Amino acid sequence: MEFYDNYEFGMPLKEIEANLEHWEKTILGASTFQELERLKADIIGRSGVVTSAFKLLKDVSVDKKKELGEKLNKVKSAIEDTIAQQHQKLANYAVSERLKNETLDITLPVENDHFGGLHIITQALRKIRDYYSARGFLVLDGPEIETEFYNFDALNIPKHHPARQSQDTFYLKGHDGMLLRTQTSCVQIRAMQKYGVPLRMVSIGKTYRNDQLDATHSPMFHQIEGLVVDKNPINIGHLKSELRKFLEFFFETDSATVRFRPSFFPFTEPGMEFDCRYTKKDGRLIISSDGDKWIELGGAGMVHPNVFKNCGVGEGAYGFAFGLGLDRIIMLKYGITDIRNLFDTDQRWLRYYGTCA
Ligand code: FA5
């Protein structure tokens, strides 16, 4: 059955194209950011009509795939442009309304005695930096605006990899090959180029992905990257023990159990994801070897030989790398169920988590 006329598996392309004008009109009529976000999610979001149509392309004959893919991409970029246009219009309107109505009486007395403090992300980030620094790791920063070489090529991520598409990566308009880094793994490459082997480093910082904002995903989030390389053999046992020690430190427990599951990252061989045992108590998650459940925490693996080659590290190097989402482990530790809370400015919430003094 042809995708073009296939009504059984969602909205067919013909109907998508016919709907474009209507969608554009609706978008240009959106009067709030929420309405705009909802339209974006419904049309080009993760489960949006257009995204679902893209997924159907895999069942289409090869020669049709190119033609239909191009048509769908045209619709998608028209929708993206219209959303951006309306977003700008709403933003301009909001600013001018605010300026019209805003008056500030600086003679009013201060109503409370709360002063700013460190956000829990900053607190966690500093604690983790201190932990690794005390254990002899270099704590390194890397640029958030990266090149395709450091974010993808040097990490052995091939040109056709889906993560490279603009659906996942924010590219910088007018700056060919420049992007907002999607992972802190690029700092591994910079570090090996600069310091060579042996090397023990971590890097913690902001990363960006074109992900729809929801309870567990944010377009900007933080990652922790670790790398240990040496000329002497290093094996998966070292990796497991390193992760266990870190989890015991971060979750303030003296018994964490780590388990590996095979997974694929182009820059590791073998690659794996790691889980940790836990139990739930009073709505909070307690990491413990006695736990009856497993929670997934991040990705890891032995450094792929191509990565060593791409960094100019000679033969005979061994090493492991790991990566975790900092926001996610903070959420687990404090029982926070929505990542958006981390980026809100609700004073009551911030005070509860010890962020305001
Ligand atoms: C990576 O990014 C790999 N660089 C990790 C790695 C490093 C593997 C070294 C092997 C060796 P992944 O795409 O799975 O892997 O992301 C790692 C973590 O980032 C996830 O487990 C998750 O906790 C977090 N994460 C990913 N996307 C988001 C998002 N949109 N919002 C919040 N956290 C996210």
Side-chain angles (χ1 to χ4, degrees):
M1 198 165 355
E2 270 305 323
F3 167 69
Y4 201 81
D5 296 312
N6 185 349
Y7 278 83
E8 256 180 58
F9 304 103
M11 191 180 277
L13 179 60
K14 235 192 294 191
E15 213 173 299
I16 286 178
E17 286 181 315
N19 258 320
L20 179 59
E21 204 177 318
H22 164 70
W23 283 333
E24 285 178 327
K25 257 195 204 146
T26 316
I27 291 166
L28 293 174
S31 54
T32 61
F33 288 115
Q34 287 91 329
E35 202 181 331
L36 203 56
E37 274 304 309
R38 190 181 47 73
L39 285 165
K40 186 177 175 188
D42 288 350
I43 306 170
I44 54 169
R46 205 183 297 234
S47 328
V49 187
V50 176
T51 317
S52 310
F54 268 113
K55 287 178 193 156
L56 296 179
L57 288 181
K58 68 175 177 358
D59 302 325
V60 166
S61 62
V62 179
D63 45 334
K64 264 267 175 211
K65 198 174 279 179
K66 189 167 175 275
E67 179 201 333
L68 297 177
E70 270 169 16
K71 284 185 173 167
L72 274 175
N73 268 323
K74 245 191 212 158
V75 172
K76 189 170 176 239
S77 58
I79 294 286
E80 280 171 345
D81 290 349
T82 316
I83 289 174
Q85 188 187 332
Q86 187 62 5
H87 194 279
Q88 193 56 48
K89 203 169 124 199
L90 289 177
N92 292 346
Y93 180 74
V95 171
S96 65
E97 280 302 290
R98 212 169 60 219
L99 289 176
K100 241 193 270 166
N101 302 323
E102 208 170 64
T103 52
L104 178 67
D105 184 352
I106 53 164
T107 63
L108 280 176
V110 178
E111 272 176 12
N112 61 41
D113 55 359
H114 297 303
F115 297 97
L118 294 179
H119 192 275
I120 51 174
I121 294 181
T122 311
Q123 292 178 21
L125 192 147
R126 291 190 180 182
K127 271 191 203 158
I128 297 169
R129 279 186 183 164
D130 289 349
Y131 163 80
Y132 277 112
S133 177
R135 299 187 57 246
F137 281 67
L138 284 180
V139 178
L140 303 173
D141 278 330
E144 287 171 31
I145 296 177
E146 262 299 4
T147 61
E148 281 193 83
F149 174 77
Y150 286 104
N151 199 79
F152 295 127
D153 298 325
L155 286 160
N156 198 34
I157 300 176
K159 293 276 182 227
H160 59 267
H161 197 280
R164 287 189 173 227
Q165 288 172 11
S166 62
Q167 279 126 295
D168 293 300
T169 304
F170 291 116
Y171 287 94
L172 267 64
K173 262 191 190 152
H175 297 271
D176 206 19
M178 301 296 285
L179 45 85
L180 295 183
R181 67 178 179 190
T182 60
Q183 50 187 343
T184 41
S185 296
C186 20
V187 190
Q188 285 183 30
I189 305 296
R190 290 184 176 276
M192 280 194 273
Q193 280 183 336
K194 184 162 180 193
Y195 299 103
V197 175
L199 173 67
R200 265 194 281 181
M201 56 87 37
V202 285
S203 186
I204 313 172
K206 293 191 174 77
T207 44
Y208 303 83
R209 287 185 196 176
N210 196 355
D211 280 346
Q212 193 80 35
L213 185 64
D214 63 22
T216 51
H217 294 82
S218 165
M220 187 284 292
F221 57 103
H222 300 78
Q223 281 193 343
I224 308 166
E225 183 81 13
L227 173 81
V228 175
V229 288
D230 208 314
K231 291 278 177 191
N232 294 313
I234 289 183
N235 60 45
I236 292 180
H238 297 118
L239 167 59
K240 201 167 179 179
S241 139
E242 194 54 59
L243 287 171
R244 187 173 47 74
K245 277 191 211 130
F246 169 69
L247 296 174
E248 287 176 352
F249 156 76
F250 184 77
F251 288 102
E252 296 172 48
T253 166
D254 50 17
S255 72
T257 300
V258 175
R259 137 181 121 173
F260 287 124
R261 277 176 296 103
S263 187
F264 177 73
F265 297 98
F267 36 96
T268 58
E269 181 57 40
M272 44 212 123
E273 280 174 318
F274 59 95
D275 309 329
C276 193
R277 272 192 189 277
Y278 78 100
T279 45
K280 260 196 167 162
K281 203 170 161 210
D282 305 330
R284 284 204 178 190
L285 184 142
I286 314 284
I287 298 289
S288 151
S289 293
D290 301 331
D292 52 347
K293 298 190 183 75
W294 293 94
I295 178 125
E296 181 191 319
L297 292 176
M302 303 309 290
V303 179
H304 195 291
N306 287 353
V307 173
F308 284 132
K309 218 183 292 164
N310 296 339
C311 300
V313 170
E315 304 249 308
Y318 305 83
F320 63 75
F322 58 88
L324 300 96
L326 176 63
D327 320 81
R328 296 259 182 96
I329 59 169
I330 290 175
M331 288 168 73
L332 294 175
K333 181 167 175 182
Y334 295 103
I336 299 166
T337 49
D338 195 321
I339 198 168
R340 287 170 285 207
N341 288 334
L342 289 173
F343 307 114
D344 267 352
T345 50
D346 185 331
Q347 294 277 307
R348 292 159 304 175
W349 190 92
L350 292 171
R351 216 170 298 136
Y352 179 78
Y353 286 103
T355 286
C356 286

